[in-house]
Amino acid sequence: MKLMVCVVQNRYRSAMEEGLKEKNYRMTELSSSGGFLKKGSTTFLIGIIEEDIENLRENMHQICYAVEKKKGKSPEESSRYTSFLIDVKDSMPFFQKSAKQ
């Protein structure tokens, strides 16, 4: 099991949330303010089995592409979102320490 941390530009946030829910992905959404990617962003935490990682990435790409197509904008491949994976077993010490405080 993996935890995908995905920071999405706000222009894709609602489409990403709706699109992933339609595909039955469960996630936690964290809104934030700041200068990451030079625009407002939202962080999604998504639990995913290893066999489904590439499918999730492809779904996310298609969701962003559909937003761009709908708005008539040229694809901005490099600034849609950034994501990384954490093995769930590696994240457990962090959560155990937080729970004790």
Side-chain angles (χ1 to χ4, degrees):
M1 186 76 165
K2 302 285 186 183
L3 174 66
M4 178 180 277
V5 178
C6 182
V7 182
V8 179
Q9 278 193 10
N10 277 345
R11 81 172 82 170
Y12 303 105
R13 187 206 59 79
S14 61
M16 185 74 73
E17 179 183 12
E18 291 171 19
L20 293 179
K21 281 183 182 179
E22 284 177 13
K23 300 284 187 181
N24 295 317
Y25 290 105
R26 290 196 245 164
M27 69 202 105
T28 298
E29 179 180 339
L30 306 171
S31 296
S32 60
S33 60
F36 189 74
L37 299 175
K38 305 293 184 214
K39 307 222 180 204
S41 61
T42 298
T43 302
F44 291 98
L45 304 176
I46 306 165
I48 186 88
I49 58 172
E50 197 153 346
E51 295 80 25
D52 201 29
I53 292 170
E54 288 307 314
N55 190 38
L56 172 60
R57 287 183 172 153
E58 180 61 28
N59 284 320
M60 292 167 62
H61 175 79
Q62 292 301 321
I63 290 165
C64 291
Y65 182 74
V67 169
E68 292 163 358
K69 187 175 179 181
K70 183 178 179 181
K71 293 186 177 184
K73 297 191 180 227
S74 62
E76 296 181 28
E77 187 81 32
S78 63
S79 62
R80 294 172 176 148
Y81 62 87
T82 189
S83 64
F84 55 95
L85 293 168
I86 302 170
D87 197 312
V88 171
K89 68 178 169 59
D90 294 336
S91 67
M92 291 311 291
F94 169 74
F95 290 115
Q96 289 171 346
K97 287 178 186 176
S98 297
K100 291 179 183 178
Q101 294 177 355

